Amino acid sequence: MFLLQVLYIFIPMLAAIFVPFIYKSIKNIHTGWFVLAVPATLAIIYATYIARVAQGEVFYDGIPWIPSLDISIVSYLDGLSLLFSLLITGIGSLVVLYSIFYLDKHKEKLHNFYVYLLLFMTAMLGVVQSDHLISLYFFWELTSISSFLLIGYWYTRDASRFGALKSMMITVFGGLMMLGGFILLYLMGGTYSIRELIAMAPNLVQHPLFTWALVLLLLGAFTKSAQFPFYIWLPDAMEAPTPVSAYLHSATMVKAGIYLVARFTPIYAASELWVWLVTGIGLLTLFWGSFFAVKQTDLKGILAFSTVSQLGLIMSLLGAGAVAFHVNGAADSVFKYAAFAAIFHLINHATFKGSLFMIAGIIDHETGTRDIRKLGGLMSIMPLSFTVAAIGSFSMAGLPPFNGFLSKEMFLTAMLALQNFEFFGFDTWGVLFPIVAWIASIFTFIYSFYFVFRTFTGKYKPELYTHKPHEAPIGMLISPMILASLVVIIFFIPNIIGDTFVKPAVQAIQPFLYDLPEDINIHVAAWHGGLTPELIMTIGIVIIGVLLFVGLPKWQGIYNLFPRALTLNNAYDKAMYGLDVGLNRVSRLYMTGSMRHYLLYMFSAIAVISIGTLFAKDAFSLSFEGAAPIRSYQLILIVVLIIGTAITIFAKSRLTAIIGLGSVGYTVALFFVMFNAPDLALTQLVIETISVALFLLAFYHLPKLGKREERMRFQLNRAVISIAVGVMVTLIALSAHSQKLVPTISKYYEETVYSLAGGGNIVNVILVDYRGFDTLFEITVLGIAGMAILAMIKLRMNRKEKSHENK
Amino acid sequence: MEIIMAFVIGFLFMAAVYLILSKSLLRIIIGTGLLSHGAHLLILTMGGLTGEAPPVLKDGAKTFADPLPQALILTAIVISFGVTAFFLVLAYRSYQELETDDISLMRGSDEDE
């Protein structure tokens, strides 16, 4: 059975292959019913592991992927992975069930939806079970891609595409940062296996790359889990169908970052920076999300900000849990509560937030709007939905008898403990932690009430709804009702959940504290038998929360005081727009379309790089040794050449320039004569003659229109660059001449030209015998040129004919 | 002699680049002509100019000019001639079609695509 453990991850992906066939061939039955079997089966399979994992057993299975690079897909099931796997498959089953009633089988493209969803399921299972860094990254990006596809499911809507793109940009940015962190971890530890890295954690802290690896990894976790300031993609991702929001954006994908932080806590917990960043950013996100959730008018918007806030809460608890690493006797200290509370709240959040999203979807489905300003008075019309919403909201607010109360109490305990922690400067700044947590909890309370009471109580306004409101079909309500009953059940039996799920997970997060899950002696209790500080704080939250909720219309105006220009969404939009426009401007700046400009860039780059290298490497040298003697007639020829060249440059008319070029060509032929190259001289004379004739031909056919026979205008940049190129060539020629490293091989030709090749003219023998291939292809070049010229002249399809043909 | 030739070749390159950076298509091709002259002379000069006799076997000659650079230049001359001829006809055709030889006016526009 364990041999199949890796394959379980891929079961949803394999099942996805069959979805389109089922969708096309079986039209009468909703495709979701077939899909439902996949997560349900997997959930049952993973449930069989529970008992043994709770005993501290771990299950390990791997298949090689790229063995030569030491890359394999390794499935590793311990308490933490199993908990996540059960959440993914369990809530996945409920979400598929819900989607069967939510998505219309005739109107929606169900095959797309379920293929994406199953792909996502494989990706998430892979993320939480991978013990190999590279395969973890592979599945991580697969979640980004499948979530992109799911958010953009209704791709004809602008907002869906915008939200999908935004989430893609942010999470892929984080994913790439995380890959960087992984590679650094590999460089530090020499292994891709997370378990082996954890085993060598004490050595890694000293490594100079440690801080970089930490920050990059956290960037990945924070972007995925929508932490401050990367949370901005989550509210926009609410354009996805509600089952997707419930599944991805409350229960699973956004918790991938939480998983990452929890999984790597044993490696990084020794670092002060880790504790500060995870706790600090988590608390900031908690406060920020809860504060702005009250401002939202869209039901899913409230839930999105609430998710951001709750993820911040879990994150801060994981940070506080890492403190346990630094405390002597931590196994008995209060910080062990933090990790416990984090995992406990993770479960609780998945239950109540999943149900709330489904209720939001039901309301949208039944009334046609999600705008909270239009909603109201639905309690008597949708009593079941109201009950579920109330249970979920009260749990979110942290009220008994719901599971949110228990995790809220533990959260406050951990935050109160942080201020007494005499380390890393927590004793001075630590007092802020419980205060921020407390204020954030008040806002959590307010938006929870806001969500449920604005929707279900107050005035009933049927004229605002597109549909006639009525209770949702029972099939749609099954999933939220299951989740809501879990919310209540967990409150009454927290220790069963704690022993079976939370303790094995905590043992995975804090392996330095416990050998077995049973060693964690935490007993969750709703009533601590007295007026503990946490209870007083909770009472305060309720009292102030109720007061503020009642007075909400009076102070809601403060949200308008917050300038729109300073919001993070605005910053993101500005940054994207700025990048787009700015880069466009940059490329327009140098991509002028003018060939002269490009030539200017090229020549200046060549000159600067060559001359720079010449002097940077100290390669310039000048030596007169071995130089041929200078003769007077040679000097005369040089003067002639220079005059010819100058005429070519400064000629007013092009005819003069052509004749100047011709004179240069003939002078070069004379040089060839002088330097003992008779074949060259012959060829040069003939070819120069033909070239000049061709130039004259081209000149003769110059268009009369716009013909200007004026002298070329002098331009400084041209002059500077051409002088630089000339200087470069001279310097390179001088240096090359002065540093002859090897003798010429021409002695061989001279000695064997007659004996081997039977010829006397060495140049000709080289051309046709020693190096005949050069000549073959040079003939080919001439042939191609001739054919191309013929084609250019013969094949004339002018613009008018061409445009005519196109029509 | 090689030292002086290095300066002459540098001058040829300078003139060639100056012409290539001009607006008129004909002058650009004249510039490429100068550029190939410069390159050919550079190859010859770098091979050494000390030889006393042409590289043709005959009695009495002690040192020959290096034959290898000459063979290379011969190949290069023919190739550059082929390319120049092609370019010139191309320029001639573009005069006919576009009725201009000013390359600053020759820019692709979106309609062309």
Side-chain angles (χ1 to χ4, degrees):
Chain A
M1 182 177 179
F2 306 130
L3 288 172
L4 290 168
Q5 197 180 312
V6 171
L7 292 180
Y8 294 154
I9 296 177
F10 291 99
I11 284 178
M13 197 188 248
L14 295 173
I17 296 171
F18 300 103
V19 166
F21 297 111
I22 295 173
Y23 175 75
K24 296 275 182 202
S25 55
I26 305 174
K27 289 276 183 194
N28 296 328
I29 306 170
H30 198 286
T31 316
W33 289 111
F34 299 100
V35 176
L36 182 59
V38 177
T41 315
L42 282 174
I44 293 166
I45 289 172
Y46 286 122
T48 61
Y49 285 87
I50 293 173
R52 274 175 296 175
V53 168
Q55 304 292 317
E57 262 187 83
V58 293
F59 298 94
Y60 184 86
D61 178 30
I63 48 170
W65 181 12
I66 311 174
S68 56
L69 294 178
D70 189 24
I71 291 175
S72 47
I73 295 178
V74 177
S75 162
Y76 174 69
L77 270 179
D78 63 355
L80 191 63
S81 320
L82 184 65
L83 172 68
F84 272 91
S85 304
L86 280 166
L87 276 180
I88 291 158
T89 50
I91 296 193
S93 313
L94 296 177
V95 161
V96 171
L97 180 65
Y98 175 79
S99 71
I100 291 170
F101 296 93
Y102 186 84
L103 295 172
D104 190 289
K105 71 174 171 221
H106 299 298
K107 290 180 196 155
E108 301 285 353
K109 298 183 182 63
L110 292 176
H111 51 320
N112 289 358
F113 182 79
Y114 287 114
V115 166
Y116 302 158
L117 198 72
L118 287 171
L119 208 60
F120 173 78
M121 218 174 273
T122 283
M124 269 317 288
L125 286 174
V127 165
V128 299
Q129 292 184 16
S130 284
D131 185 51
H132 191 283
L133 292 175
I134 300 298
S135 70
L136 171 53
Y137 172 73
F138 167 75
F139 288 117
W140 184 276
E141 291 299 31
L142 197 58
T143 66
S144 295
I145 292 165
S146 48
S147 132
F148 168 79
L149 292 169
L150 282 167
I151 297 169
Y153 172 68
W154 285 311
Y155 53 79
T156 48
R157 300 181 187 172
D158 279 341
S160 294
R161 295 199 305 270
F162 176 76
L165 193 63
K166 192 173 181 179
S167 73
M168 182 81 162
M169 294 291 276
I170 294 177
T171 53
V172 167
F173 161 76
L176 286 173
M177 295 296 122
M178 187 187 79
L179 177 64
F182 282 175
I183 290 168
L184 291 183
L185 265 181
Y186 174 71
L187 292 178
M188 287 155 60
T191 171
Y192 284 118
S193 164
I194 299 171
R195 283 189 310 162
E196 289 171 26
L197 283 168
I198 288 173
M200 63 176 74
N203 307 329
L204 297 180
V205 185
Q206 317 297 335
H207 201 281
L209 294 174
F210 182 79
T211 310
W212 285 107
L214 189 162
V215 171
L216 288 174
L217 183 109
L218 275 186
L219 270 177
F222 284 171
T223 48
K224 199 72 157 185
S225 279
Q227 298 296 294
F228 187 89
F230 305 112
Y231 69 85
I232 49 173
W233 64 266
L234 188 59
D236 284 315
M238 291 301 131
E239 292 303 325
T242 304
V244 173
S245 308
Y247 189 39
L248 273 69
H249 306 128
S250 74
T252 53
M253 190 180 83
V254 287
K255 288 186 175 136
I258 302 280
Y259 168 80
L260 198 71
V261 168
R263 177 55 82 200
F264 284 90
T265 293
I267 296 180
Y268 291 112
S271 158
E272 178 183 356
L273 187 65
W274 175 268
V275 175
W276 268 110
L277 276 179
V278 176
T279 319
I281 298 284
L283 269 179
L284 179 60
T285 313
L286 164 65
F287 171 73
W288 193 274
S290 63
F291 183 68
F292 283 100
V294 186
K295 185 194 171 189
Q296 305 303 313
T297 51
D298 175 21
L299 284 183
K300 283 173 85 177
I302 300 173
L303 293 176
F305 273 92
S306 133
T307 303
V308 168
S309 152
Q310 302 280 311
L311 290 170
L313 186 150
I314 299 172
M315 199 63 96
S316 69
L317 280 173
L318 284 175
V323 174
F325 186 85
H326 302 278
V327 183
N328 286 332
D332 301 315
S333 87
V334 76
F335 294 108
K336 67 187 176 182
Y337 270 106
F340 190 93
I343 298 300
F344 193 54
H345 192 68
L346 188 135
I347 301 173
N348 295 343
H349 178 250
T351 57
F352 67 69
K353 191 54 63 66
S355 71
L356 286 177
F357 265 113
M358 291 175 185
I359 292 300
I362 287 172
I363 292 166
D364 187 15
H365 206 263
E366 305 306 332
T367 65
T369 182
R370 293 194 322 241
D371 192 328
I372 202 157
R373 290 166 298 193
K374 293 184 185 168
L375 294 164
L378 293 173
M379 197 197 318
S380 54
I381 297 161
M382 307 165 80
L384 284 173
S385 308
F386 168 71
T387 315
V388 173
I391 292 172
S393 298
F394 293 159
S395 176
M396 185 156 74
L399 294 177
F402 308 107
N403 57 7
F405 173 72
L406 302 173
S407 40
K408 169 72 63 58
E409 295 290 286
M410 294 168 96
F411 168 61
L412 293 174
T413 310
M415 288 300 129
L416 283 170
L418 267 185
Q419 63 175 334
N420 302 321
F421 177 52
E422 295 171 3
F423 206 58
F424 302 161
F426 272 93
D427 41 350
T428 46
W429 293 100
V431 70
L432 284 175
F433 288 97
I435 294 174
V436 171
W438 189 67
I439 296 172
S441 299
I442 292 173
F443 279 104
T444 308
F445 186 93
I446 297 169
Y447 71 68
S448 301
F449 271 52
Y450 178 68
F451 176 83
V452 65
F453 286 116
R454 280 297 158 90
T455 312
F456 289 99
T457 63
K459 234 176 92 184
Y460 177 51
K461 296 166 270 190
E463 68 280 1
L464 290 175
Y465 307 143
T466 51
H467 313 324
K468 188 169 161 34
H470 54 81
E471 184 60 281
I474 192 71
M476 215 168 180
L477 277 164
I478 293 173
S479 298
M481 275 158 60
I482 292 173
L483 288 171
S485 34
L486 279 175
V487 168
V488 182
I489 291 168
I490 292 174
F491 176 81
F492 288 108
I493 53 155
N495 290 306
I496 294 176
I497 301 290
D499 290 342
T500 37
F501 299 112
V502 184
K503 282 182 184 175
V506 170
Q507 200 237 331
I509 300 175
Q510 301 180 326
F512 41 83
L513 294 185
Y514 316 102
D515 293 327
L516 282 177
E518 288 102 61
D519 297 343
I520 307 166
N521 57 341
I522 293 177
H523 188 79
V524 190
W527 177 248
H528 292 282
L531 214 51
T532 54
E534 298 88 0
L535 196 59
I536 297 171
M537 284 170 86
T538 305
I539 293 168
I541 290 167
V542 173
I543 293 170
I544 297 177
V546 167
L547 286 177
L548 281 175
F549 175 68
V550 171
L552 190 60
K554 293 197 179 84
W555 60 270
Q556 215 169 14
I558 63 157
Y559 285 108
N560 301 329
L561 296 178
F562 195 77
R564 278 192 64 81
L566 288 180
T567 56
L568 286 164
N569 275 319
N570 193 44
Y572 171 84
D573 294 341
K574 281 268 161 62
M576 294 313 264
Y577 180 77
L579 267 178
D580 198 13
V581 171
L583 291 180
N584 213 339
R585 209 171 280 163
V586 168
S587 39
R588 247 186 239 155
L589 198 68
Y590 70 94
M591 301 287 283
T592 53
S594 154
M595 202 172 75
R596 284 178 58 216
H597 288 149
Y598 302 150
L599 286 168
L600 279 175
Y601 307 147
M602 284 192 257
F603 281 124
S604 34
I606 292 169
V608 167
I609 291 170
S610 300
I611 297 178
T613 312
L614 204 60
F615 287 100
K617 295 280 170 193
D618 202 20
F620 180 73
S621 68
L622 185 58
S623 146
F624 295 92
E625 196 185 329
I630 303 166
R631 298 182 213 286
S632 55
Y633 55 88
Q634 291 174 333
L635 291 177
I636 295 168
L637 213 49
I638 285 170
V639 172
V640 172
L641 183 77
I642 288 173
I643 290 171
T645 313
I647 287 172
T648 317
I649 307 176
F650 296 111
K652 267 184 195 167
S653 86
R654 287 165 193 160
L655 191 59
T656 323
I658 291 168
I659 291 166
L661 177 69
S663 78
V664 171
Y666 291 127
T667 323
V668 170
L670 288 180
F671 269 110
F672 289 151
V673 171
M674 212 164 58
F675 292 133
N676 297 318
D679 297 297
L680 289 185
L682 280 174
T683 318
Q684 178 68 29
L685 278 173
V686 173
I687 280 188
E688 195 59 37
T689 311
I690 303 172
S691 296
V692 169
L694 276 171
F695 270 105
L696 289 174
L697 174 82
F699 171 79
Y700 181 74
H701 285 92
L702 266 184
K704 300 284 177 284
L705 202 89
K707 187 165 73 175
R708 286 157 301 159
E709 280 289 326
E710 77 242 26
R711 199 177 132 181
M712 283 161 56
R713 269 186 303 125
F714 179 79
Q715 282 161 313
L716 188 66
N717 55 359
R718 273 172 71 190
V720 168
I721 286 169
S722 48
I723 288 170
V725 171
V727 168
M728 173 196 89
V729 171
T730 305
L731 290 178
I732 291 175
L734 289 175
S735 309
H737 172 69
S738 307
Q739 306 171 69
K740 285 232 165 69
L741 299 176
V742 286
T744 170
I745 57 166
S746 297
K747 276 281 167 260
Y748 170 78
Y749 295 131
E750 287 169 17
E751 282 158 12
T752 61
V753 67
Y754 193 75
S755 56
L756 284 183
N761 186 329
I762 307 176
V763 174
N764 287 5
V765 172
I766 290 177
L767 281 174
V768 298
D769 194 324
Y770 292 110
R771 299 175 62 89
F773 274 118
D774 288 0
T775 313
L776 176 66
F777 290 110
E778 138 198 359
I779 292 167
T780 315
V781 167
L782 264 190
I784 291 173
M787 281 191 285
I789 288 167
L790 186 71
M792 267 198 296
I793 292 173
K794 285 283 176 191
L795 303 179
R796 293 191 180 183
M797 193 194 282
N798 64 31
R799 286 167 177 233
K800 276 176 196 163
E801 288 168 22
K802 196 177 167 189
S803 58
H804 189 70
E805 276 174 19
N806 284 350
K807 278 169 198 166
Chain B
M1 192 62 211
E2 281 89 341
I3 309 294
I4 297 174
M5 284 307 288
F7 283 95
V8 174
I9 292 160
F11 182 73
L12 274 175
F13 269 86
M14 186 200 79
V17 171
Y18 189 80
L19 283 170
I20 287 173
L21 291 173
S22 69
K23 269 186 190 170
S24 148
L25 200 53
L26 198 65
R27 285 189 204 270
I28 291 175
I29 302 176
I30 292 173
T32 59
L34 282 183
L35 198 69
S36 32
H37 289 322
H40 299 158
L41 282 179
L42 183 65
I43 299 174
L44 193 72
T45 312
M46 290 300 105
L49 302 172
T50 45
E52 282 172 10
V56 179
L57 283 191
K58 63 176 182 188
D59 300 330
K62 281 178 192 151
T63 58
F64 297 113
D66 196 335
L68 191 58
Q70 295 192 13
L72 297 179
I73 294 166
L74 202 59
T75 311
I77 288 175
V78 174
I79 289 173
S80 68
F81 167 70
V83 174
T84 308
F86 175 76
F87 276 165
L88 273 170
V89 177
L90 192 64
Y92 158 74
R93 289 287 295 130
S94 63
Y95 293 158
Q96 284 188 329
E97 293 289 325
L98 305 172
E99 303 192 335
T100 179
D101 80 325
D102 187 346
I103 61 152
S104 62
L105 300 176
M106 295 183 191
R107 293 190 189 187
S109 58
D110 295 337
E111 293 85 18
D112 285 351
E113 282 165 5

